[in-house]
């Protein structure tokens, strides 16, 4: 090796441009050649170089020259492919495809039975060509003359004594005995009569004997001598008879390589294996019809894992790619491609499969698209992120709007394997829009899978949109008529609990789950209870960490004794908490309750405010809605001023008031968040402009009868004084209804709150003392 490197270095130094770079030496036995791994300098492609040192092997120089000459002219798929030959005064180089000696595998016993049969079939078919079509004799068929290529195929080499029988001065006659270790592999007739006996025996006799030795070596690991010829140890049973006929001592009775192949290819023969059938059919795959192609793919799927992976990568895969892309191979061929591709390294996958996969995603064939989407989990790890985000995903999104439901469904499922290779802008923009579309799909299965998909990709969504999207999607699925869609929504809510705040859990999620507790399906009810428990635990845990109150404690000037209260916090009765709450509000107030003018119910104590700010007006009758949602001040008009209605009108008014009361309750409990309705009511109410925050307005100069405007605050004292100077009202039902009263009744019926109007009072000082001797009817409003 050192001499070789020095020779090459000297040749380069002298100006000769050796186009290859020699690498490691490969151990090869029983050969006149030295084998090296090498690379081509021009493109860095791998190759092998057989080197013959002329100075140290001058006696075998004719064998080397014969090998160079035959390797240039002999072309066959089972023969080593020769790329170049270089002859110098010091060395002879044969540059071939990258190969490895078969003897490596034979010595390690690393060949499976199927692979061994496949290789022997290749060698026997090559010898059939050499003996028949080329009318030649190989002469040294053995394991050291066979090599495996990068595709795992067995290639025949060792053409040192390859001779044509039409040549009278063939090298084999003269130099056959110069082959290393020739005595161990020489047929018995040659040992007795020399190489000239070839002329007196069948042309195939020499190579048939060598083929028999090769069969023994492949299945037993080593061949030591003639005493092992014909032994059937470890050789497949169905091959015994043919093998013995290859090794028989009588050359005229030996089975030729061609007959050996024919016997093996018979129905049930030893060469009738899936791998051999695959080898025979792969070259013509593009010419097969649909039925033949399906049969081939089924055969391919039946192959076991111990077959040579290199052969599938180098030979089968390219042919399958041609078939699926140009020959109409269809989804079955694509499935076989992806199965083989799963065994490729990432570099090999990107080199061989990625460009084809990108092109296939643009194919309009729906069956092919579904197959691609279904196999995305198998190949996604080998696809670069940029390719997925920029090339594959833009072609995938057409599946969201495809007319075929199976395409839409597979597109939704395919989001899960590729989600980690999509950019945040794509996920939170275009993808969510398409998922919103499939969430409303007419197919219940697609809606269900969309809910599952959202739950699985929740962690990939942006924080700004995640909560809104998930709550909207999952709560919507809880109302889906398809039972599995509802179940998926509950499961998704349970799986994404961590992404919701406690406020969202309490105000949005829990109210949406509760109806499912009474679902008609027991499966939904059970899952709803489980999901509800998860959210309740979280809300309760958070609630235990909150402060007892946010209201600051107010110091009371005169502490009130507990004995004087109607109810206490220790009261354990059903209504105890309500009474206690009510008395707490009363007893916590400072000062005394002031009596009303005519002995009516006391008014609520108002908070301390500046003297310049007018007092807010309370509604005459406080309904439940007034308590839950503060209402605007009522019109400054007593119910006693309303003219009495006819009996039928009274009944209609009572019914309308009852309906209004029901609507008020519904608004309080069912429409508390309906802010838009409140806004609309304000826009439609002609009195809405009058219920703004009370402000002190300047006295209007005109008309003269209005010397003072109290800013909208009702002047009950002035009203009482005015009532004392007028005549007592007529009995109910006799008063004429005025337009103002009609407006008052209409507004009280149609509006949830009665709007006040400003009362015009005289400017003179008013006596606020009530006149007890007259019944003014004002107290009727409390009845």
């Amino acid at each position: 090796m050192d001499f070789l490197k020095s020779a090459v270095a000297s040749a380069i130094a002298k100006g000769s441009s050796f186009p290859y770079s020699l690498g490691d030496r490969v151990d090869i036995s029983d050969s006149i050649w030295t084998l090296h791994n090498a690379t081509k300098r021009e493109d860095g492609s791998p190759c092998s170089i057989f080197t013959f040192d002329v100075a140290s092997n001058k006696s075998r120089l004719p064998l080397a020259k014969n090998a160079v000459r035959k390797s240039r002219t002999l072309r066959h798929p089972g023969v080593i492919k020769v790329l170049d030959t270089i002859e110098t005064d010091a060395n002879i180089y044969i540059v071939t495809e990258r190969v490895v000696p078969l003897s490596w595998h034979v010595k390690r016993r690393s060949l499976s039975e199927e692979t061994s049969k496949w290789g022997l079939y290749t060698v026997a078919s090559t010898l059939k060509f050499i003996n028949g079509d080329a009318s030649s004799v190989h002469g040294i068929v053995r394991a050291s003359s066979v090599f495996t290529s990068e595709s795992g195929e067995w290639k025949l080499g060792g053409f040192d004594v390859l001779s044509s029988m039409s040549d009278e001065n063939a090298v084999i006659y003269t130099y056959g005995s110069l082959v290393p270790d020739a005595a161990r592999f020489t047929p018995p007739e040659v040992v007795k009569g020399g190489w000239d006996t070839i002329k007196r025996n069948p042309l195939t006799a020499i190579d048939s004997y060598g083929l028999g030795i090769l069969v023994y070596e492949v299945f037993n690991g080593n061949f030591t001598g003639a005493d092992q010829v014909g032994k059937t140890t470890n050789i497949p049973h169905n091959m015994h008879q043919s093998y013995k006929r290859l090794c028989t001592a009588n050359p005229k009775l030996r089975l030729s390589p061609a007959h050996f192949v024919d016997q093996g290819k018979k129905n049930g023969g030893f060469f009738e294996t899936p791998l051999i059938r695959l080898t025979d059919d792969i070259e013509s795959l593009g010419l097969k019809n649909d039925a033949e192609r399906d049969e081939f793919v089924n055969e391919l799927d039946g192959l076991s894992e111990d077959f040579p992976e290199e052969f599938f990568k180098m030979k089968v895969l390219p042919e399958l790619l041609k078939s699926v892309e140009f020959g109409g191979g269809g989804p079955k061929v694509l499935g076989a491609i992806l199965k083989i591709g799963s065994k490729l390294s990432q570099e090999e996958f990107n080199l061989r499969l990625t460009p084809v996969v990108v092109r296939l995603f643009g194919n309009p064939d729906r069956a092919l698209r579904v197959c691609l989407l279904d196999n995305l989990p198998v190949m996604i790890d080998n696809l670069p992120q940029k390719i997925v985000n920029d090339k594959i995903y833009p072609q995938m999104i057409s599946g969201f709007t495809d007319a075929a439901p199976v395409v839409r469904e597979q597109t939704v499922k395919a989001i899960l394997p590729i989600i980690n290779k999509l950019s945040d802008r794509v996920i939170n923009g275009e993808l969510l829009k398409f998922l919103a579309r499939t969430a409303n799909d007419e197919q219940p299965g697609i809606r269900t899978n969309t809910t599952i998909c959202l739950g699985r990709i929740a962690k990939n969504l942006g924080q700004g949109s995640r909560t809104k999207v998930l709550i909207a999607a999952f709560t919507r699925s809880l109302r889906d008529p398809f039972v599995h869609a509802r179940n998926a929504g509950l499961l998704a809510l349970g799986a994404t609990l961590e992404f919701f705040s406690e406020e969202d859990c309490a105000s949005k999620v829990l109210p949406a789950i509760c109806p499912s507790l009474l679902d008609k399906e027991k499966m939904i009810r059970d899952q709803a209870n489980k999901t509800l428990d998860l959210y309740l635990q979280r809300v309760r845990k958070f609630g235990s960490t909150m402060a007892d109150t946010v209201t600051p404690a107010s110091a009371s000037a005169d502490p009130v004794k507990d004995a004087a209260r109607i109810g206490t916090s220790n009261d354990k009765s059903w209504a105890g908490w309500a009474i206690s709450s009510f008395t707490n509000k009363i007893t916590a107030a400072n000062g005394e309750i002031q009596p009303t003018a005519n002995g009516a119910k006391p008014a609520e104590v108002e908070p301390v405010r500046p003297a310049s700010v007018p007092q807010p007006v309370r509604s005459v009758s406080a309904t439940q809605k007034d308590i839950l949602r503060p209402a605007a001040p009522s019109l400054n008009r007593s119910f006693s001023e309303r003219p009495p209605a006819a009996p039928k009108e009274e009944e209609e008014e009572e019914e309308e008031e009852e309906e209004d009361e029901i609507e008020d309750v519904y608004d309080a409990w069912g429409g508390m968040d309906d802010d838009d309705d409140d806004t609309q009511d304000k826009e439609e109410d002609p009195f809405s402009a009058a219920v703004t925050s009370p402000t002190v307005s300047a006295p209007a100069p005109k008309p003269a009868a209005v010397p003072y405007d109290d800013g909208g605050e009702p002047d009950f004292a002035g009203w009482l004084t005015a009532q004392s100077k007028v005549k007592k009202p007529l009995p109910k039902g006799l008063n004429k209804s005025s337009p103002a009263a009609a407006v008052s009744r209409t507004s009280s019926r149609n509006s949830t709150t009665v709007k006040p109007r400003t009362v015009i009072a005289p400017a003179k000082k008013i006596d606020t003392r009530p006149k007890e001797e007259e019944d003014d009817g004002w107290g009727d409003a409390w009845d």
Side-chain angles (χ1 to χ4, degrees):
M1 178 178 178
D2 294 335
F3 175 78
L4 175 63
K5 288 184 177 180
S6 62
V8 174
S10 62
I12 296 174
K14 292 179 181 179
S16 122
S17 56
F18 193 73
Y20 302 95
S21 299
L22 291 177
D24 299 333
R25 177 177 174 174
V26 179
D27 184 19
I28 181 174
S29 58
D30 303 333
S31 178
I32 66 175
W33 299 91
T34 303
L35 179 61
H36 288 266
N37 291 327
T39 55
K40 190 175 182 180
R41 290 186 174 181
E42 183 179 358
D43 56 6
S45 58
C47 60
S48 293
I49 297 180
F50 292 85
T51 305
F52 179 78
D53 184 6
V54 176
S56 60
N57 293 287
K58 285 185 179 181
S59 61
R60 294 171 173 169
L61 182 60
L63 300 179
K65 288 185 175 291
N66 183 69
V68 171
R69 184 171 59 255
K70 294 299 181 180
S71 62
R72 284 175 178 172
T73 58
L74 188 62
R75 293 287 184 269
H76 188 268
V79 173
I80 294 178
K81 183 179 180 180
V82 177
L83 304 177
D84 195 5
T85 58
I86 302 174
E87 297 185 47
T88 65
D89 295 338
N91 297 280
I92 297 176
Y93 306 103
I94 301 178
V95 183
T96 68
E97 59 182 318
R98 179 64 65 85
V99 292
V100 175
L102 179 65
S103 56
W104 283 17
H105 304 288
V106 169
K107 292 177 181 179
R108 292 197 299 266
R109 304 288 298 275
S110 61
L111 298 171
S112 66
E113 181 178 330
E114 292 297 322
T115 303
S116 299
K117 288 180 180 181
W118 172 58
L120 290 172
Y121 171 76
T122 303
V123 173
S125 300
T126 305
L127 290 175
K128 175 183 176 180
F129 166 77
I130 292 175
N131 297 153
D133 297 344
S135 300
S136 301
V137 175
H138 186 278
I140 52 174
V141 179
R142 61 184 77 167
S144 60
S145 298
V146 181
F147 301 83
T148 59
S149 66
E150 287 185 301
S151 62
E153 296 174 282
W154 291 19
K155 302 284 186 174
L156 186 61
F159 301 141
D160 301 346
V161 293
L162 177 65
S163 302
S164 173
M165 292 298 97
S166 61
D167 186 3
E168 293 293 334
N169 299 318
V171 172
I172 193 171
Y173 301 138
T174 307
Y175 300 99
S177 58
L178 295 179
V179 176
D181 209 4
R184 183 156 53 105
F185 298 95
T186 303
E189 69 272 14
V190 175
V191 173
K192 294 179 181 179
W195 290 97
D196 288 338
T197 58
I198 298 175
K199 297 177 182 180
R200 300 187 293 272
N201 292 315
L203 180 148
T204 60
I206 300 295
D207 292 339
S208 296
Y209 189 83
L211 181 60
I213 294 176
L214 177 63
V215 171
Y216 184 87
E217 285 184 291
V218 167
F219 289 106
N220 290 277
N222 194 15
F223 178 76
T224 57
D227 58 334
Q228 293 178 327
V229 175
K231 290 186 177 181
T232 58
T233 307
N234 297 325
I235 295 176
H237 180 74
N238 58 356
M239 195 184 288
H240 284 178
Q241 185 177 359
S242 300
Y243 160 68
K244 289 179 179 179
R245 290 190 61 187
L246 287 174
C247 303
T248 184
N250 188 349
K252 298 185 183 296
L253 299 178
R254 284 177 192 153
L255 192 67
S256 67
H259 286 92
F260 182 70
V261 171
D262 292 341
Q263 288 190 0
K265 291 291 291 181
K266 287 181 179 180
N267 189 19
F270 48 85
F271 283 153
E272 274 295 305
T273 65
L275 186 57
I276 293 175
R277 288 195 294 269
L278 172 67
T279 307
D280 292 340
D281 294 341
I282 191 63
E283 300 294 339
S284 59
L285 180 61
L287 303 177
K288 295 181 181 297
N289 56 35
D290 293 342
E292 292 174 337
R293 189 184 297 112
D294 291 343
E295 182 180 357
F296 171 81
V297 175
N298 293 334
E299 191 91 23
L300 185 62
D301 291 339
L303 296 180
S304 60
E305 297 294 333
D306 59 350
F307 292 147
E309 295 182 4
E310 294 79 8
F311 177 71
F312 287 97
K313 295 177 185 177
M314 304 293 294
K315 288 293 183 179
V316 178
L317 186 59
E319 295 298 328
L320 293 177
L321 290 174
K322 291 178 185 177
S323 175
V324 74
E325 194 169 6
F326 306 110
K332 281 194 173 182
V333 177
L334 178 60
I337 289 174
L338 298 177
K339 183 178 179 181
I340 298 173
S342 63
K343 300 179 180 180
L344 299 177
S345 65
Q346 186 165 357
E347 292 76 14
E348 291 174 329
F349 192 96
N350 291 332
L351 179 64
R352 300 174 184 273
L353 282 186
T354 299
V356 179
V357 169
V358 172
R359 290 195 296 269
L360 289 178
F361 265 104
N363 195 305
D365 187 357
R366 284 196 176 101
L368 200 60
R369 169 67 67 86
V370 170
C371 185
L372 280 170
L373 296 173
D374 194 35
N375 286 277
L376 263 179
V378 178
M379 56 183 173
I380 191 62
D381 292 337
N382 295 318
L383 293 173
Q385 181 176 1
K386 186 173 180 59
I387 294 295
V388 174
N389 192 78
D390 298 345
K391 295 183 179 180
I392 293 180
Y393 171 77
Q395 299 184 86
M396 277 180 55
I397 58 177
S398 61
F400 286 110
T401 56
D402 196 274
V406 64
V407 178
R408 300 199 302 272
E409 184 170 7
Q410 288 298 328
T411 304
V412 172
K413 292 180 179 179
I415 294 301
L416 295 180
I418 71 168
I419 189 66
N420 292 324
K421 296 198 174 184
L422 297 179
S423 65
D424 293 339
R425 181 182 61 82
V426 170
I427 294 174
N428 296 287
E430 191 176 31
L431 178 59
L432 286 181
K433 294 179 182 178
F434 283 116
L435 290 179
R437 182 171 188 147
T438 55
N440 296 320
D441 197 274
E442 60 182 7
Q443 296 294 325
I446 297 177
R447 299 196 301 269
T448 303
N449 286 326
T450 302
T451 300
I452 296 173
C453 178
L454 282 172
R456 297 282 296 275
I457 69 172
K459 61 177 181 281
N460 301 98
L461 301 180
Q463 295 182 357
S465 60
R466 179 165 53 200
T467 301
K468 295 180 180 178
V469 170
L470 296 183
I471 291 179
F474 297 159
T475 55
R476 185 188 186 101
S477 65
L478 298 183
R479 303 188 299 271
D480 198 291
F482 187 52
V483 58
H484 296 290
R486 301 198 298 275
N487 191 53
L490 291 170
L491 291 172
L493 282 172
T496 57
L497 171 63
E498 59 181 306
F499 301 118
F500 305 134
S501 65
E502 286 76 7
E503 289 77 8
D504 289 334
C505 293
S507 61
K508 298 178 181 178
V509 180
L510 284 174
I513 296 176
C514 287
S516 300
L517 298 174
L518 298 179
D519 195 274
K520 295 180 180 180
E521 299 291 336
K522 185 178 185 300
M523 176 179 68
I524 303 301
R525 297 195 298 271
D526 293 343
Q527 186 58 48
N529 278 284
K530 294 178 183 178
T531 307
L532 186 71
D533 290 342
L534 292 175
Y535 279 84
L536 284 176
Q537 289 174 9
R538 180 175 178 185
V539 171
R540 286 169 179 166
K541 183 178 179 180
F542 180 76
S544 63
T545 63
M546 298 176 66
D548 293 343
T549 180
V550 295
T551 305
S554 57
S556 178
D558 298 326
V560 182
K561 296 182 179 181
D562 291 340
R565 297 172 57 185
I566 300 176
T568 64
S569 59
N570 297 325
D571 192 349
K572 303 302 182 183
S573 64
W574 175 81
W577 64 270
I579 300 173
S580 300
S581 175
F582 176 72
T583 55
N584 285 340
K585 293 180 180 179
I586 298 177
T587 57
N590 294 327
E592 297 180 355
I593 301 177
Q594 297 295 330
T596 57
N598 60 350
K601 296 181 181 180
E604 291 184 14
V605 178
E606 297 295 335
V608 180
R609 57 185 177 83
S612 61
V613 178
Q615 285 188 351
V617 178
R618 298 287 181 176
S619 177
V620 175
S621 60
T623 63
Q624 187 175 359
K625 185 172 181 179
D626 296 328
I627 298 173
L628 294 177
R629 187 165 53 191
S634 60
L635 289 173
N636 187 18
R637 182 180 181 89
S638 171
F639 283 103
S640 61
E641 289 188 22
R642 294 176 53 183
K648 291 184 179 180
E649 293 178 352
E650 289 181 358
E651 292 178 1
E652 292 176 358
E653 288 178 6
E654 289 178 358
E655 291 177 359
E656 291 176 358
E657 289 178 359
E658 185 176 357
E659 292 176 359
D660 292 341
E661 186 175 353
I662 294 174
E663 291 178 0
D664 291 342
V665 173
Y666 174 78
D667 290 341
W669 293 101
M672 294 178 66
D673 295 330
D674 201 359
D675 297 335
D676 295 338
D677 294 342
D678 295 342
T679 304
Q680 185 177 1
D681 291 342
K682 291 180 180 180
E683 292 174 355
E684 294 176 354
D685 194 345
F687 298 97
S688 59
V691 293
T692 56
S693 300
T695 55
V696 179
S697 58
K702 291 182 181 182
V706 188
Y708 172 74
D709 187 357
D710 61 354
E713 182 177 353
D715 186 2
F716 286 100
W719 180 82
L720 290 174
T721 304
Q723 289 294 321
S724 64
K725 296 182 179 181
V726 297
K727 296 181 181 180
K728 295 184 66 174
L730 295 174
K732 293 182 179 179
L734 297 181
N735 278 348
K736 295 181 180 180
S737 57
S738 63
V743 171
S744 175
R745 286 197 301 271
T746 304
S747 61
S748 63
R749 293 174 187 174
N750 299 334
S751 176
T752 57
T753 57
V754 181
K755 311 300 180 179
R757 64 181 180 85
T758 304
V759 177
I760 302 174
K764 64 180 180 178
K765 185 175 180 181
I766 302 171
D767 186 5
T768 60
R769 288 178 301 174
K771 295 182 181 296
E772 298 180 359
E773 65 278 8
E774 294 183 4
D775 184 7
D776 54 9
W778 183 80
D780 294 340
W782 296 99
D783 295 335

